[in-house]
């Protein structure tokens, strides 16, 4: 259905493989449109509770925005590229009400690392390499990298990565908190699915509220959002089920 995505839905988990291996899964317009449309569809699809994003092949998660596609752009077109990308994909990923986990299976460069950073959390395979090489092209990260990287790893580490354009190893990414876990490549998807399965067994309604409140954590609305969301959840069926299950010493069925 999507030309540039392979989608497998099983046990409430959608594994979405970005599939442009000839360009190391670089994000061109069509691939970005596919991701955006898939998210719109997945939002109300009861068969999907958790999304895993990964890249096709063993070499690359995503090697960045498609350089060939913007090579002759002017300033106005460049600004539009960043604006539309951020609005239609990257911000949509971050605000998506179902957890999105990036399984970084190789190069996560430029827009690729930005996509992983917009995801709710990241795990990586041992061979992964992460970086923001935009300044080697005379650019800066345009899909949120200057904003999300400092929040994840601190301003100094982000500055070093952005100014040097150097890639870091998966192990280093783990040490600085950019990825949560590093596993052998052959185990990456199984590990991502195991984490996703844990999440899928919990209250989707509560998790959606957690995502909403966490996304406001850098604003002065965060605590208020938490208080309101906490209260709203008491009126939801999942709260009744969760508490009944606890009292009846059984597993909740959300
Ligand atoms: N855009 C378009 N095509 C890309 C690409 C990209 N970002 N990355 C790789 N490709 C293509 C290559 O052009 C090549 O295609 P051809 O065979 O047709 O020439 C193919 O993928 C395989 O790549 P390489 O031969 O270069 O593979 P390699 O193993 O020698 O190197 C690499 C791998 C280090 C990832 C190298 O491909 C590379 O440096 N890619 C570009 C990384 C980059 O600069 N990303 C940032 C993009 S800008 C951005 O993302 C802006 C933003 O924030 C919005």
């Amino acid at each position: 259905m999507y030309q540039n995505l392979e989608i497998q839905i099983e046990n409430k988990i959608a594994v979405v493989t970005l599939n442009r291996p000839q360009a190391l899964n670089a994000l061109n317009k069509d691939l970005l449109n596919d991701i955006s449309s898939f998210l719109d569809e997945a939002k109300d699809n009861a068969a999907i509770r958790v999304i895993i994003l990964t890249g096709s092949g063993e070499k690359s998660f995503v090697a960045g925005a498609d350089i060939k596609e913007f090579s002759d752009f002017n300033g106005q077109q460049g600004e539009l590229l960043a604006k539309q990308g951020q609005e239609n994909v990257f911000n949509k990923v971050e605000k998506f009400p179902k957890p999105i986990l990036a399984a970084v299976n190789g190069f996560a460069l430029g827009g690729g690392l930005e996509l992983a950073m917009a995801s709710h959390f990241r795990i990586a395979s041992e061979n992964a390499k992460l970086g923001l090489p935009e300044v080697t092209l005379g650019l800066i990260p345009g899909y949120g990298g200057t904003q999300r990287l400092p929040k994840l790893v601190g301003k100094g580490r982000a500055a070093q990565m952005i100014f040097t354009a150097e890639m870091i190893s998966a192990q280093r990414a783990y040490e600085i908190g950019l990825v949560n876990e590093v596993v052998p490549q052959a185990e990456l998807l199984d590990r991502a699915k195991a984490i996703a399965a844990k999440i899928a067994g919990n209250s989707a309604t509560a998790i959606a509220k957690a995502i909403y409140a966490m996304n406001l954590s850098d604003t002065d609305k965060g605590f208020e959002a938490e208080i309101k969301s906490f209260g709203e959840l008491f009126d939801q069926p999942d709260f009744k089920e969760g508490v009944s299950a606890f009292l009846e010493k059984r597993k909740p069925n959300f």
Side-chain angles (χ1 to χ4, degrees):
M1 223 166 69
Y2 297 102
Q3 228 184 333
N4 301 285
L5 300 178
E6 268 177 21
I7 297 161
Q8 269 190 318
I9 302 173
E10 220 178 331
N11 302 325
K12 310 248 158 145
I13 300 163
V15 178
V16 178
T17 305
L18 283 62
N19 191 26
R20 287 190 72 220
Q22 72 282 8
L24 301 182
N25 309 318
L27 300 169
N28 66 356
K29 203 166 180 233
D30 289 345
L31 175 51
L32 287 169
N33 283 340
D34 279 356
I35 297 170
S36 177
S37 304
F38 168 74
L39 291 176
D40 292 342
E41 190 198 309
K43 201 168 185 171
D44 298 319
N45 184 343
I48 299 175
R49 287 208 181 181
V50 186
I51 294 170
I52 297 170
L53 289 181
T54 195
S56 70
E58 301 201 331
K59 190 169 167 181
S60 183
F61 173 67
V62 172
D66 192 308
I67 298 169
K68 291 168 191 166
E69 209 174 55
F70 65 63
S71 58
D72 62 353
F73 274 17
N74 62 27
Q76 215 179 0
Q77 291 169 303
E79 185 175 333
L80 197 63
L81 180 82
K83 187 171 159 54
Q84 288 181 337
Q86 291 195 18
E87 285 171 0
N88 298 337
V89 177
F90 294 77
N91 295 349
K92 203 185 266 188
V93 167
E94 185 168 57
K95 292 184 181 157
F96 201 67
K98 301 177 183 185
I100 299 181
L101 150 57
V104 178
N105 58 307
F107 289 117
L109 302 177
L113 179 53
E114 291 171 299
L115 183 63
M117 292 194 293
S119 302
H120 299 127
F121 63 98
R122 295 142 290 285
I123 65 169
S125 55
E126 285 166 344
N127 62 305
K129 293 242 182 289
L130 304 88
L132 293 175
E134 284 88 345
V135 297
T136 66
L137 301 168
L139 295 174
I140 61 168
Y143 286 152
T146 64
Q147 303 305 298
R148 292 194 178 98
L149 188 60
K151 282 178 200 150
L152 285 165
V153 304
K155 203 169 167 188
R157 289 190 181 108
Q160 187 174 345
M161 281 180 71
I162 292 171
F163 303 167
T164 65
E166 279 175 359
M167 299 180 209
I168 60 170
S169 66
Q171 182 56 34
R172 179 66 187 148
Y174 172 72
E175 285 161 13
I176 64 175
L178 189 50
V179 302
N180 290 4
E181 294 182 19
V182 181
V183 296
Q185 184 165 53
E187 293 166 27
L188 181 69
L189 260 194
D190 282 346
R191 179 61 190 142
K193 285 181 189 170
I195 297 169
K198 270 251 167 219
I199 296 170
N202 293 328
S203 163
T205 317
I207 289 170
K209 291 283 190 200
I211 292 171
Y212 168 71
M214 288 171 78
N215 276 333
L216 290 169
S217 66
D218 295 325
T219 73
D220 60 2
K221 305 259 183 303
F223 286 101
E224 190 188 318
E226 183 180 282
I227 291 166
K228 265 205 140 320
S229 298
F230 184 75
E232 283 163 10
L233 287 167
F234 281 77
D235 295 328
Q236 294 295 317
D238 278 3
F239 168 65
K240 309 269 178 300
E241 169 60 14
V243 170
S244 307
F246 175 79
L247 296 174
E248 292 159 19
K249 300 191 188 299
R250 61 173 174 84
K251 274 196 161 182
N253 182 17
F254 293 118

